[in-house]
Amino acid sequence: MRLRCWRTMWMTLAVTALASAFGAQGTAGAADIPDADMARIEAALPDRPTVQPRQERKLLIFSACQGFRHGSIPWGIAAVQSMGEKTGAWQSVVSDDIAMFRPENLAQFDAIVFNNSTGTLFEDPALKISLVEFVKSGKGIIGIHAATDCFYDWPEFGAMMGGYFDGHPWNEEVTIKIDDPKHPVNAAFEGEPLVVADEIYQFKDPYSRDALRVLLSLDTIRTNMAKRGIKRDDADFAVSWVRSYGAGRVFYCSLGHRNEIFWNPKVLRHYLDGIQFALGDLEADTTPSAQLIGPGGDVMPLEKALAAAAVYEFGASRLPLTAVAAHVRYALEHPAQRGPVVQGLLGVLESDGATVDGKAFVCRQLTLVGGDESVPALASLLPDARLSHMARYALQRIPREAAAAALRNALHATDGEVRIGVINSIGERRDRRAVGMLARIARADEPTMVATIAALGKIGGQEAFNLLAELSEDARAAGAKTAVLQALIPFAEDFARQRQPKRAAPIYRHLFAPENPRHIRVAGLRGLAQVEPMEVVSVVGGLLSDDDPQWRGTAARMVVDTPGVEVTTAFAGRLDVLPDEAQILMIEALAERGDAAAGPAVIAVISRAETPVRRAAVRALGELGEASTVALLASLAAAPDGDTVDDARASLDRLRAEGVDVAIVAVMEQGSPGVRCELARSLGARGAVAQAPALIGLAGQDGEATVRIAALQALGRLADEPHLPDLVRLLVGAASEEERDVAEDSLADACGRIDDVERRAAPVVSALEGADVPAKRSLLSVLGRLGGRTALDAVRAAVGDPETVIADTAVGALTEWPDAGAAPVLLAIAGQSPDPVHRESAFRGYIRVIRLPADRDPAETVRMHRQALEIAEGNEEIRLVLASLGDVNDASALALVEQYLPQRAVQSSAAASMISIARSLAKEQRAEALAAIDDVLAVCAGDEDMRVRAGEAVNHIERDEDFVTAWLFSGPYTKEKHDGGALFDVAFDPEMDGVQVAWRQMPAEAFSDPGIFDLNKVVNGSNCCGYVMTIIESEIEQEARIEMGSDDGLKAWLNGSVVHANNAMRGLTVGSDRGTVRLKPGANTLLLKITQGGGDWKVCCRIRRPDGFALEGMSFRSPH
Amino acid sequence: MAKPADMTRRQFVQGAAATAFAAPYIVPAFAGAARPAPSNRITMAQIGCGGMGRGDLHNFLQADDVQVLAVCDVDTEHREAARQAVEERYATNTAHGIYRGCDAYNDFREVLARDDIDAIVQSVPDHWHALIITGAARAGKDIYGQKPLSLTIRQGRVMSDAIRRYGRVFQTGSQQRSDDRFRFACELVRNGRIGQVHTVTCGLPTTPTRDNPPPSPVPEGFDYDMWLGPAPSAPYCEGRTHWDFRWILDYSGGQVTDWGAHHIDIAHWGLGLMNTGPIEVEGVGEFPDDGLWNAATNYRFTCIYETGVRIVVTNQFENGVKWEGPDGWVFVNRGRIDAHPRSLLNEKFGPREVHLQRSADHYRNFLECVKSRREPIAPIEQAHRTITVAHLGNIAMLLGRKVRWNPDRELFINDAQAQRMTDRAMREPWRL
C-alpha cells in the first residue's frame, strides 16, 4: 500500500465517485506495481511544475486496450498520476471506461492521456465526434508509446495523434537526438542527447514533418541501423512531437514500452512539459518542423552569424562560420531562403570592414549557393592576389554564363600568377568562348603560354585545336613542345568518342613519332590501337622483342586490350615470326585476352616449339581451349615423361567453354588407360557432378585398376546423394584391398557432404547386411567417420559380432566417433567388455568423445567423468580423467578432482587439473577458485613446477587487481619537429633532478578497468609525451614484478633509475611490458613517461610479487 | 667517349645490352644472386618523407632491385632524415661503408624532370596527390601512390585517365589487397558462399577534433607555401600540417576517406564491383561546429548499387568489413577473420571459381609490375572508384540529403549543388 504524503485525499474520492457513477471497468491502477518501483518513480519525478497552472487542471488517464496490452501500463499510470499530485500541475482520473468519452463526461477534463492504449477502442461515431470536438475546442491530448497503435480504421485519429505505428525495429539501447534543443518541451535534455533503452517505433503516414513539430528523433549514427524491419529510407524516426489540432494541442512521445522509462528523470520531465503544454499551461511553438525558417536546432541567427563571420580571423572560433554554413545549407533546400542568405553573404564581400579571412570564407559559401547575382562581387575580387583564388573557387563552380564571362574579362584585368589562375579556371570550365581571348594573351610569356596550351586541351573543339596548332611553333621554340603533345591527346580522344577515327588517327600517329619521349609515344600507340586496331598489330608484334623492357611489357598489354576479333587472329598469326621469348609474351597475353579465336594458332605452336614456349601454349589453352581441345590436353597430361604434364592438367581443369565435360566423357571412353585416368581425375577436379554416371561405370567396369582407382577418387570429390548406392556397391564389390580403401575414403567424403546426419548413413547401413567380412569392415569404418544415431546403432550391433575382426573394427570405429553420441556405448564396453583391449580402447575413446563440443550442462559433463572414474582401471586411466576434468569450467569438477588430491600417485594430475579449473572458474566464483589453489599449494608445497603454475593462475585470476590508480600527471610535452617516437629520448622537466614540475591529479573519469588511464581524457595531444608519477609504500625491502602496458612508447624510472624502456608505436595491451625491480622499505617513487604519436594515449601499471602473488604490505598513494 | 647529348642513361645502358634478350616477361626473384646490376634496377625517388613516406621508403630500400636516387620533401628535416636513411642503407653495400648518391629536393618538379628516374613513391598529403601523380604520369614515371587516392572526384578521374593514357604502372597504397586474410574473405563472397550479398558494412574510426590554435610562425626549414600548394591560403598553425592534415577538409576527407580508402575498397573487391559505383547515397555526419579540424567525426552513410546491394559506411561498427547474405556472413579486419557458418573459414575454391590475384607483398607486387607492365593488385581506376564512394558520402552528409549518382558517366543526377562539390579550383599557379 502506497499512500504518499503529497497524495491528497480528494483524489481518491474523485476516482471512487467516478467509478461509481459510470460503473468501474477493470481499470489497472498504480496499485499493481511493486513498492520498490513506486519509490523509484517518486524519486525521479520533478518536484514542481514547469509553469504554474493557470487554473486547476484535470487529466483523464485512459489505458484501455483492444489489442496487445503493454505490461508497463500500471507504471505509466503511476508516473502520470503521481506527477500531477507531486507537482500540483493537475489532478488525474484513471479510467478505462469508454463512457468517459461522452461529451458531458469529457467536459470536466482539460486533457486526455492515451496511456499505451491499443486497437479500435470504440466504434460509436458519437464518441469519435466527441473526442475530436474536445480537442478541437481547445483541449489537449497526450499519447504515450502505443497511442499511435490505435484506431487504424479511423484516419482522423491518426491525423490528430500525428502518425500510425509501423513496427518497432529496435528494443535496445539507442541514442535519441534533440531535434529542437530550444523548444520548451525539450528543456529536460539541456541539449544533450538521450541514451536510453526502450522499444523504438517507426511511423507511417500520416506522420509528416509538414504537420508535426518533431522534438526528439532517433540518432541514426549511434543506433544499430542493421535491424530487420526498417522500412523508412529517409532515416526519419521521430520519437516525440507536438502539434496543434483545431484550437487544441497534441503531445506524443513513443517512449514508454519498458517499465523503467517511467523512472527516467529526463523522460519524466519531458512528459511533464508535454502534458503541461497539452493542458494549455506551457506555451510552446507548434509550427511544423518543415516550415521552420532557418536550419533550426541551436544555430545562431543568420544576421548575427554573418556579422561575426565578416570579422573572422584564422585562429578564432569557427562557430559563426559553421552557423553561416548551416544557413547556406538550409537555403539550398529551401529556395525561398536563398535570397536573404546570398544577399547577406554578398554584404560581407562588399563591406569595407570585413577581414580577408571572412571574405574568403564567404567565397567558399558562394561556391555552393552563388548564382548570377553573386558574380559581380566575386569578379571584383579576381585581381586581388589575396582573394583571387577564393573568387575563382566560387566562379569556377557557378554553372552560369555570367561566371564564365567574369573569368574571361579578368584575363585583361590581371597578370602574372593571378592570371595563370584565371586561365586554369577557364580551362576547367571548358569555356569555348574564351579561345579568342586566350589567343590574344597566350604569347605573353612562357608560363602563360603553357597554361594556355593546357587550357586548350581541356576546352576542346575546332577553334581551340586551331589555336593549339598556331601556338605549337612558338611552344617548340619556348621548350614547351611536350605540353603541346600532351594537350593534343584529349582532342584525339574526343574524335575517337565521336567515332571519327580518320581525324583521331593522325594525331595519335603524330604522338607516336620516334622523336617523341617514350611515354608520349605510348599514348600515341595506345590511342591508335583504339581507333585503327589493325594498324598497330605489326608494330606491337615488333615491340614484343624490343630492347627496352618497358616497350616489351607495354606491347604485351596492348595485345591484351586492343579491341576487335580480327585483331586476335592477326596477333595470333604473328606467332610464328616472333623469337621464342616474344612468343611466350604473345601467348600469355593472348591467354589473358581470352578470345578463343587465338586457340588454333596457339595449338599449332605446341607441335613445333621448344619446351618453354610449349609450356606457355599449353597453359594458355586453359583460357583459350574449347571442347575440341580436350583430347589434345588429355594426351599431353597422360604423356609419360612429357614436359607439359602439369600445365596440361591445370588447363584441363580450368577449361570453361561450353560442352567440355561431355567432351571429356567422350574422349575418356576411347582413350588409353593413361588418358582415362587423367580425364577421370579432371572430372573430379572440375566438380562435374552431371558426369558421375560415367565415372561410376568406369570405377566398376574398367579393365585397368589404375583407371578404376582414379574414377573412385574422382567420385569422392563430386558424388552426390543419388550416387551413394552405387558408391556403396563399388566398395562392396571392390576388386582389391587398395580399391576398397579408396572407395572407403570416397564414400566417407561423399556421405559427409550430406547435411542431414541420419540420411548420410542410411545407404551405408543398408549395405551391411549381406556384405562379406572385408566389405563389412570398410562400411563400419565409414560409419565411424560419419557419426549420428543411425550409424551408431549399426556399429553398436556389430560390437557383438561373432567375427572378431568385425567386433574389433566396430570398437575401433566407436573410439574415433565424431560426436558425443557414442559415449554411453563406449562406457558400457569400457566397463563390461570381457576383452581387456576393448575395455582399454573404449575407455580412452569415452574420454575423447565426452570432450567433444556438445550442448550439455557442465555438471552433466562432470557426471560423465565421475562414471569413468568409477570404472577406471589403474592410475593411468585416473590421470587421464583428471586431466580431462581440468577443462571443465564448473565447481563440481573442482570438487570431484579435489577428492584425488591426497592420493600420491595421481596427485600432480589432480593438482594441475585443479589449477586449470580454478583459472576458468574464477570469473564467476573467485573465492572458490583461490581457495582451491591454496589447497593445491598446501599439498604440493615442495613441487616447484606446481608452485609456478599456481602463481601464474593466481596472477591470472587477480589480473585486474593491484593497478596503480593514484597517479599524478604532467604534460603534454612537445618539441618542434619531434614526433612521439623522437620524444622518447628527449628529457623534459620530470626527468630532471631538482626541477619544479607542475603535477596535477587525475580525475576518476580518466580511468577505466582494469586501471587503464586514458591521458586523452586529461589533455589532448599528438606527437607529444606525458609523465605520470606515484608513490609505492612498501613495508619491507622486497622484489616486485612491475607489469605495464602503454599506447605508445613507455619508459619507467623507479627511485630515479631507469627500469624499463620501450620506444613502441602500439595500442595498449595490459601487462605487455614486464620487469623485476627491488622496492626499498618506505616510499618508492615510480615515474612513467608515455609518448604519443596520434590516436589513443593510454597507460596502465600494476605491481605484484615476482611469482605472481599479491605483494604484502604495499600501497600506492599520489604524492602532494 | 662523349655521350651524345640527347642520349639518356637508360638508352645508353640498353644499347650496351642490346645483343641479348635481357629480361624475361616475368622477372624471376633474384634468389641467391648478387644484387642486380645497376642497369636492371628500378630507379626511384621518394616524394613526401613524413609519416607514411618514411615507411614506404624503408620498404623500397629493402628491395635489391631498387635504387633510390632522390628524396623530396618541403620539410628540410624530413628530407634530410630520408636522405640519411637512404645513404646509410646503401653504405652497407659499399666496400668503404660510405655512400653519397641520394639527392634531396624541395620541389617535386625537379625530381620529375630527371629522366634517369623510373618510378616515384608519392606519400604526400591528399591535396597534393593529383598534381604529383598526373605530373609523374606526364613525365613518364611509374608511381606507387599512397591512399586515399584523391581529394575530389574529378581529381581521381583525371589521375586515372593520365595513368591509362601514358601506359604507366600505378599501385595504390591500399595494402589490404596484399593480405591473405582480406583476399580469402573476398573470395568467399565472390564465390557465392554466403549467397547474393544484400548488405556490406564498413566500420571505420572516429575522426578526432581539436581547438582553434592561433596562427604561429612557420618553423624554420619548412616550405609552408609549397606545402599548401593548390589548397586555399591559410596561416600556419599547430595541428594543420603533417599527420593532422587528414582531419581538415581542405586537404583530406577525415576518416571517411582515410580508412574508407581501405575498407570500401575491400567491400568492392568482395562484391566484384570495383569498376562502378553507387546510384544513391544518403547519410548523416556530424561535422564539428568549431575547431581547426572540420571533417565528420561521427558518420553513417548508405550507398545503394544498381545490383541492389547496400554498402553502409560508419564509425559505429567494429573496424573492418562485413558482408551479409542469405546464407551467412563474412567479417574481416587487420586482426581477424570470422564467418557464419564458421565452416566457411575452411573453404577451398575449385579451378573454375574466382581466384583473386595473389600478392604477398604490396611493394613487391608494384616492382614486379613495373617490369612486366601488368596492372598491379590495387589499380588506380579501382582506387578512384573506391574513394569516389567516400567523397559521395561526404557530399551527401554535407548537403544533409540523399544524392543520386550515375556511376557510368560519373555525374550526379539532377543535382547541380552536389555536382559543384565534385571539384575545387586550385590556388594559382597550380592546375591539373
Side-chain angles (χ1 to χ4, degrees):
Chain A
M1 184 63 209
R2 294 166 305 282
L3 262 184
R4 304 300 153 198
C5 55
W6 34 264
R7 180 177 286 188
T8 53
M9 187 54 75
W10 74 265
M11 251 308 300
T12 320
L13 291 173
V15 174
T16 317
L18 283 161
S20 60
F22 301 110
Q25 288 198 349
T27 300
D32 299 338
I33 75 172
D35 283 353
D37 285 0
M38 193 64 219
R40 288 176 163 135
I41 293 173
E42 282 163 24
L45 283 172
D47 292 325
R48 56 187 63 81
T50 300
V51 286
Q52 282 304 324
R54 291 174 189 163
Q55 61 195 64
E56 281 198 349
R57 299 293 188 184
K58 201 160 164 188
L59 193 63
L60 170 62
I61 305 177
F62 181 72
S63 317
C65 297
Q66 295 299 329
F68 180 78
R69 184 176 185 85
H70 279 78
S72 60
I73 283 177
W75 280 259
I77 293 172
V80 176
Q81 190 176 16
S82 304
M83 192 184 316
E85 292 167 28
K86 186 175 177 184
T87 62
W90 61 80
Q91 300 140 12
S92 309
V93 170
V94 179
S95 172
D96 290 356
D97 185 351
I98 61 168
M100 283 295 195
F101 290 92
R102 286 187 202 142
E104 64 273 24
N105 293 332
L106 277 188
Q108 62 184 304
F109 295 106
D110 297 287
I112 308 164
V113 178
F114 276 74
N115 173 35
N116 264 316
S117 46
T118 55
T120 297
L121 296 162
F122 42 78
E123 308 258 9
D124 184 351
L127 294 185
K128 293 181 177 175
I129 293 168
S130 167
L131 173 57
V132 170
E133 285 309 316
F134 170 79
V135 178
K136 281 189 171 172
S137 73
K139 300 290 183 76
I141 183 167
I142 296 113
I144 296 179
H145 194 56
T148 45
D149 192 17
C150 300
F151 288 122
Y152 288 99
D153 48 0
W154 181 23
E156 185 160 17
F157 182 87
M160 182 166 69
M161 199 53 96
Y164 281 121
F165 167 79
D166 193 21
H168 46 75
W170 305 270
N171 189 349
E172 62 203 35
E173 185 173 289
V174 297
T175 301
I176 292 171
K177 63 178 195 290
I178 317 303
D179 278 49
D180 210 336
K182 293 198 168 151
H183 196 277
V185 178
N186 271 341
F189 307 106
E190 296 174 335
E192 292 295 316
L194 175 68
V195 179
V196 69
D198 201 21
E199 186 180 270
I200 301 298
Y201 277 10
Q202 166 174 252
F203 297 102
K204 62 184 173 190
D205 285 350
Y207 169 78
S208 166
R209 288 187 185 239
D210 289 333
L212 309 176
R213 177 65 161 271
V214 174
L215 303 178
L216 304 178
S217 64
L218 199 61
D219 181 341
T220 54
I221 292 183
R222 289 178 186 74
T223 294
N224 180 1
M225 296 301 287
K227 304 294 285 190
R228 286 174 194 280
I230 296 179
K231 299 177 196 167
R232 294 195 76 95
D233 62 2
D234 60 0
D236 183 9
F237 303 96
V239 170
S240 88
W241 58 72
V242 291
R243 69 164 303 169
S244 296
Y245 199 72
R249 297 158 304 277
V250 182
F251 167 67
Y252 171 79
C253 177
S254 76
L255 296 172
H257 179 84
R258 299 190 184 196
N259 301 347
E260 59 266 31
I261 288 296
F262 295 105
W263 63 75
N264 181 311
K266 287 184 175 178
V267 177
L268 288 179
R269 170 75 198 278
H270 187 50
Y271 270 115
L272 172 67
D273 293 339
I275 295 171
Q276 285 214 285
F277 156 76
L279 287 168
D281 290 322
L282 180 64
E283 293 288 341
D285 185 16
T286 57
T287 309
S289 299
Q291 290 170 26
L292 292 177
I293 304 298
D298 220 358
V299 176
M300 200 185 289
L302 179 64
E303 268 185 31
K304 189 175 164 204
L306 277 170
V311 295
Y312 169 77
E313 285 183 358
F314 278 107
S317 165
R318 282 198 309 117
L319 273 174
L321 307 192
T322 47
V324 171
H327 286 281
V328 167
R329 213 157 37 237
Y330 181 83
L332 295 178
E333 304 302 314
H334 301 85
Q337 277 305 294
R338 199 181 151 276
V341 168
V342 172
Q343 286 315 314
L345 292 169
L346 293 176
V348 175
L349 283 194
E350 284 153 6
S351 138
D352 291 336
T355 56
V356 171
D357 296 349
K359 287 182 177 178
F361 166 76
V362 163
C363 288
R364 285 165 178 267
Q365 298 308 307
L366 288 171
T367 65
L368 288 183
V369 76
D372 284 338
E373 76 294 297
S374 312
V375 170
L378 289 166
S380 71
L381 299 178
L382 280 172
D384 181 344
R386 296 168 308 166
L387 284 163
S388 183
H389 174 220
M390 283 292 111
R392 287 191 295 110
Y393 213 74
L395 288 169
Q396 187 174 312
R397 298 212 281 205
I398 293 176
R400 309 287 305 172
E401 169 53 26
L407 287 164
R408 289 196 298 268
N409 293 334
L411 286 174
H412 299 300
T414 55
D415 57 10
E417 279 202 350
V418 168
R419 186 162 71 181
I420 300 279
V422 172
I423 297 170
N424 295 344
S425 282
I426 286 171
E428 287 298 327
R429 290 192 63 115
R430 307 193 68 173
D431 180 10
R432 295 201 173 178
R433 298 173 69 172
V435 174
M437 302 177 81
L438 287 171
R440 287 200 281 280
I441 56 144
R443 292 175 175 86
D445 51 35
E446 195 206 323
T448 306
M449 177 177 295
V450 175
T452 304
I453 289 168
L456 292 173
K458 290 174 187 160
I459 291 170
Q462 193 60 48
E463 206 187 338
F465 189 73
N466 294 345
L467 177 55
L468 195 57
E470 255 177 57
L471 290 175
S472 64
E473 265 320 300
D474 298 292
R476 184 188 295 269
K481 181 189 153 202
T482 311
V484 175
L485 294 174
Q486 285 168 343
L488 280 172
I489 298 174
F491 287 98
E493 288 174 349
D494 274 350
F495 288 135
R497 254 192 301 275
Q498 296 155 14
R499 304 195 184 274
Q500 300 185 43
K502 297 282 172 266
R503 302 190 68 186
I507 301 177
Y508 286 131
R509 286 188 202 106
H510 177 63
L511 295 169
F512 185 57
E515 69 270 18
N516 290 335
R518 182 178 54 195
H519 64 286
I520 300 285
R521 300 190 67 209
V522 169
L525 189 59
R526 291 179 57 89
L528 196 55
Q530 299 303 309
V531 293
E532 295 286 2
M534 290 302 281
E535 187 178 330
V536 304
V537 169
S538 66
V539 178
V540 168
L543 286 169
L544 284 173
S545 47
D546 195 89
D547 293 339
D548 178 350
Q550 209 178 97
W551 269 121
R552 298 198 295 275
T554 301
R557 290 301 92 207
M558 294 185 62
V559 172
V560 177
D561 54 29
T562 301
V565 179
E566 72 282 10
V567 170
T568 308
T569 15
F571 276 131
R574 301 198 65 82
L575 266 174
D576 47 8
V577 303
L578 296 175
D580 280 6
E581 291 83 351
Q583 279 192 52
I584 294 177
L585 270 184
M586 176 72 95
I587 290 168
E588 291 185 346
L590 286 169
E592 203 172 327
R593 185 178 173 88
D595 182 347
V602 171
I603 288 171
V605 167
I606 296 173
S607 56
R608 61 172 153 76
E610 297 296 321
T611 296
V613 184
R614 282 165 58 82
R615 291 195 55 185
V618 174
R619 276 198 306 272
L621 289 181
E623 266 62 52
L624 302 176
E626 299 180 284
S628 58
T629 322
V630 168
L632 169 65
L633 286 172
S635 67
L636 291 170
D641 308 323
D643 56 357
T644 58
V645 170
D646 293 340
D647 303 297
R649 280 184 180 154
S651 288
L652 262 182
D653 296 351
R654 225 166 47 238
L655 285 176
R656 286 168 187 275
E658 196 83 0
V660 168
D661 290 337
V662 174
I664 287 178
V665 171
V667 174
M668 190 166 73
E669 278 162 2
Q670 292 151 21
S672 67
V675 164
R676 296 204 294 278
C677 280
E678 282 303 328
L679 291 177
R681 185 204 54 73
S682 187
L683 285 176
R686 295 172 61 84
V689 184
Q691 311 307 325
L695 288 170
I696 290 167
L698 217 57
Q701 289 150 26
D702 200 281
E704 291 287 333
T706 51
V707 178
R708 294 197 298 274
I709 285 173
L712 281 169
Q713 282 168 333
L715 283 167
R717 294 183 71 163
L718 57 72
D720 227 341
E721 196 168 358
H723 313 122
L724 293 183
D726 284 316
L727 210 42
V728 170
R729 181 177 53 75
L730 289 168
L731 182 151
V732 172
S736 69
E737 201 166 321
E738 189 191 359
E739 277 175 56
R740 180 171 294 114
D741 286 348
V742 174
E744 186 183 311
D745 286 344
S746 291
L747 180 59
D749 288 348
C751 292
R753 281 197 295 270
I754 297 169
D755 287 332
D756 185 313
V757 165
E758 305 309 327
R759 252 184 31 218
R760 62 166 80 143
V764 185
V765 171
S766 62
L768 276 172
E769 187 76 30
D772 62 9
V773 169
K776 209 167 176 179
R777 292 187 61 190
S778 265
L779 293 169
L780 288 169
S781 299
V782 171
L783 291 173
R785 287 152 74 169
L786 298 180
R789 172 58 50 187
T790 311
L792 184 64
D793 289 344
V795 176
R796 181 169 52 189
V799 172
D801 199 289
E803 197 74 52
T804 333
V805 285
I806 301 280
D808 289 351
T809 307
V811 172
L814 287 167
T815 60
E816 295 300 318
W817 208 255
D819 58 68
V825 182
L826 285 163
L827 187 67
I829 298 170
Q832 296 156 23
S833 172
D835 181 338
V837 179
H838 283 191
R839 284 206 304 277
E840 191 193 333
S841 55
F843 189 88
R844 290 182 175 276
Y846 177 74
I847 298 300
R848 191 185 67 78
V849 299
I850 65 177
R851 292 168 60 89
L852 293 172
D855 183 21
R856 84 169 94 79
D857 197 39
E860 174 63 12
T861 305
V862 173
R863 198 185 58 77
M864 296 171 99
H865 281 86
R866 181 177 292 120
Q867 289 177 318
L869 285 168
E870 283 162 7
I871 61 163
E873 297 177 33
N875 290 328
E876 195 47 49
E877 290 193 351
I878 294 175
R879 280 195 281 268
L880 190 66
V881 183
L882 293 176
S884 172
L885 278 164
D887 295 334
V888 183
N889 178 14
D890 193 74
S892 65
L894 202 55
L896 180 57
V897 177
E898 190 151 21
Q899 293 171 21
Y900 290 82
L901 194 58
Q903 294 184 22
R904 281 231 149 268
V906 297
Q907 193 169 67
S908 60
S909 292
S913 184
M914 283 178 70
I915 290 170
S916 164
I917 300 170
R919 271 181 86 122
S920 48
L921 198 61
K923 210 171 176 189
E924 305 289 325
Q925 290 164 279
R926 187 173 177 284
E928 287 82 348
L930 289 170
I933 292 175
D934 283 344
D935 292 346
V936 169
L937 287 171
V939 176
C940 305
D943 182 341
E944 180 58 26
D945 175 50
M946 207 56 72
R947 271 196 64 81
V948 169
R949 282 207 225 180
E952 281 170 359
V954 169
N955 199 33
H956 175 76
I957 292 167
E958 296 178 347
R959 61 189 179 276
D960 292 353
E961 293 168 23
D962 294 336
F963 277 87
V964 181
T965 51
W967 291 116
L968 288 183
F969 174 79
S970 179
Y973 292 94
T974 57
K975 190 173 174 191
E976 192 80 339
K977 302 270 188 186
H978 280 63
D979 63 13
L983 292 171
F984 191 78
D985 292 317
V986 178
F988 294 100
D989 287 356
E991 295 181 42
M992 313 287 196
D993 256 351
V995 177
Q996 192 70 31
V997 178
W999 292 104
R1000 47 178 147 162
Q1001 292 281 354
M1002 290 304 87
E1005 61 267 22
F1007 288 95
S1008 60
D1009 287 337
I1012 297 171
F1013 170 33
D1014 186 348
L1015 283 74
N1016 275 332
K1017 294 252 170 80
V1018 187
V1019 286
N1020 248 309
S1022 58
N1023 291 319
C1024 60
C1025 67
Y1027 295 84
V1028 293
M1029 197 238 296
T1030 193
I1031 302 288
I1032 304 164
E1033 292 281 1
S1034 178
E1035 286 173 6
I1036 49 168
E1037 175 168 345
Q1038 57 182 333
E1039 289 238 298
R1041 182 165 79 196
I1042 182 159
E1043 304 174 6
M1044 298 165 289
S1046 63
D1047 178 340
D1048 298 307
L1050 179 68
K1051 198 183 270 194
W1053 292 259
L1054 183 68
N1055 299 325
S1057 309
V1058 175
V1059 290
H1060 180 75
N1062 183 0
N1063 190 4
M1065 279 281 279
R1066 61 178 178 185
L1068 178 135
T1069 306
V1070 174
S1072 60
D1073 293 20
R1074 299 178 171 210
T1076 306
V1077 296
R1078 190 144 200 98
L1079 295 176
K1080 60 183 185 186
N1084 294 265
T1085 307
L1086 177 66
L1087 174 72
L1088 304 183
K1089 174 182 192 174
I1090 309 99
T1091 60
Q1092 159 71 334
D1096 278 352
W1097 188 18
K1098 292 177 176 174
V1099 66
C1100 66
C1101 171
R1102 73 167 183 159
I1103 298 181
R1104 304 280 286 177
R1105 243 164 53 182
D1107 60 6
F1109 293 88
L1111 277 169
E1112 284 143 39
M1114 185 209 60
S1115 61
F1116 311 112
R1117 63 177 167 83
S1118 50
H1120 298 289
Chain B
M1 183 183 92
K3 206 170 80 169
D6 61 349
M7 196 176 200
T8 64
R9 174 203 66 102
R10 172 157 303 285
Q11 288 163 330
F12 182 75
V13 172
Q14 279 155 9
T19 47
F21 191 88
Y25 187 33
I26 303 292
V27 178
F30 295 95
R35 192 159 184 239
S39 59
N40 279 339
R41 290 184 208 154
I42 298 166
T43 52
M44 295 183 79
Q46 173 74 44
I47 300 179
C49 304
M52 292 309 298
R54 261 196 299 275
D56 291 335
L57 177 61
H58 172 80
N59 278 287
F60 283 112
L61 284 176
Q62 306 313 306
D64 274 345
D65 48 347
V66 163
Q67 184 79 27
V68 176
L69 294 183
V71 296
C72 173
D73 200 296
V74 294
D75 185 327
T76 312
E77 203 159 316
H78 286 174
R79 182 166 70 232
E80 287 307 317
R83 184 219 295 261
Q84 195 183 339
V86 174
E87 295 188 339
E88 279 175 10
R89 166 73 184 83
Y90 290 145
T92 61
N93 294 339
T94 63
H96 42 290
I98 299 173
Y99 179 88
R100 292 275 176 273
C102 180
D103 297 312
Y105 297 90
N106 185 68
D107 188 332
F108 72 100
R109 290 170 293 192
E110 293 176 52
V111 177
L112 299 185
R114 277 178 65 161
D115 67 0
D116 60 342
I117 288 177
D118 299 326
I120 62 136
V121 188
Q122 175 281 114
S123 320
V124 296
D126 307 0
H127 65 285
W128 263 112
H129 288 187
L131 287 169
I132 291 180
I133 290 170
T134 55
R138 288 172 191 151
K141 313 292 185 209
D142 295 327
I143 302 143
Y144 182 98
Q146 267 306 339
K147 42 58 58 180
L149 179 71
S150 64
L151 183 68
T152 68
I153 293 173
R154 163 151 164 87
Q155 289 182 6
R157 171 46 57 221
V158 172
M159 283 186 255
S160 179
D161 286 351
I163 293 297
R164 181 179 45 78
R165 271 177 191 162
Y166 298 107
R168 295 298 93 202
V169 169
F170 185 96
Q171 172 85 303
T172 319
S174 45
Q175 76 281 4
Q176 288 178 175
R177 286 218 178 182
S178 292
D179 180 311
D180 280 350
R181 207 174 359 218
F182 284 96
R183 192 198 60 245
F184 177 67
C186 289
E187 285 175 337
L188 281 176
V189 177
R190 282 283 273 280
N191 286 308
R193 296 301 197 272
I194 56 171
Q196 179 81 39
V197 175
H198 53 77
T199 306
V200 191
T201 308
C202 298
L204 319 179
T206 307
T207 306
T209 58
R210 74 160 294 163
D211 56 359
N212 291 296
S216 54
V218 176
E220 203 170 322
F222 183 41
D223 185 348
Y224 177 62
D225 189 64
M226 189 70 171
W227 185 91
L228 280 174
S233 189
Y236 177 84
C237 69
E238 199 194 318
R240 183 183 289 283
T241 62
H242 291 352
W243 187 266
D244 294 328
F245 73 85
R246 67 197 71 213
W247 322 128
I248 301 175
L249 294 177
D250 272 348
Y251 320 121
S252 183
Q255 293 287 22
V256 169
T257 56
D258 202 50
W259 269 88
H262 287 301
H263 287 343
I264 297 169
D265 185 59
I266 294 297
H268 276 176
W269 209 27
L271 293 170
L273 295 177
M274 298 87 70
N275 290 308
T276 181
I279 56 173
E280 253 179 46
V281 180
E282 182 174 27
V284 186
E286 288 177 356
F287 294 86
D289 280 344
D290 202 359
L292 175 63
W293 300 345
N294 59 356
T297 51
N298 294 294
Y299 48 91
R300 165 195 298 279
F301 61 89
T302 301
C303 311
I304 297 175
Y305 287 66
E306 196 150 29
T307 62
V309 71
R310 296 161 9 117
I311 297 183
V312 179
V313 180
T314 175
N315 68 320
Q316 307 283 325
F317 191 80
E318 181 180 354
N319 187 304
V321 186
K322 183 181 187 181
W323 296 263
E324 295 171 80
D327 304 332
W329 51 258
V330 175
F331 175 86
V332 64
N333 67 17
R334 292 183 185 178
R336 68 185 185 96
I337 180 167
D338 200 358
H340 178 80
R342 295 266 339 200
S343 58
L344 289 179
L345 299 179
N346 301 318
E347 280 293 298
K348 299 272 185 293
F349 306 108
R352 286 184 300 158
E353 290 195 276
V354 174
H355 294 259
L356 295 172
Q357 191 188 338
R358 276 168 185 264
S359 154
D361 178 329
H362 211 56
Y363 299 97
R364 175 52 47 196
N365 176 260
F366 170 66
L367 297 173
E368 293 307 333
C369 291
V370 166
K371 295 171 190 171
S372 70
R373 311 311 294 169
R374 281 174 189 265
E375 196 161 65
I377 193 159
I380 190 166
E381 176 64 18
Q382 297 182 16
H384 163 59
R385 295 299 192 153
T386 289
I387 208 61
T388 295
V389 177
H391 294 322
L392 291 173
N394 269 337
I395 290 171
M397 294 192 297
L398 279 165
L399 286 173
R401 59 174 164 78
K402 181 189 290 184
V403 294
R404 294 171 61 225
W405 176 248
N406 179 334
D408 297 330
R409 302 185 59 211
E410 299 191 66
L411 291 171
F412 285 97
I413 299 168
N414 296 331
D415 197 333
Q417 294 302 340
Q419 194 61 38
R420 290 190 187 193
M421 298 170 81
T422 53
D423 198 22
R424 307 172 194 177
M426 288 183 170
R427 195 164 65 109
E428 57 274 4
W430 301 104
R431 67 174 158 269
L432 272 180

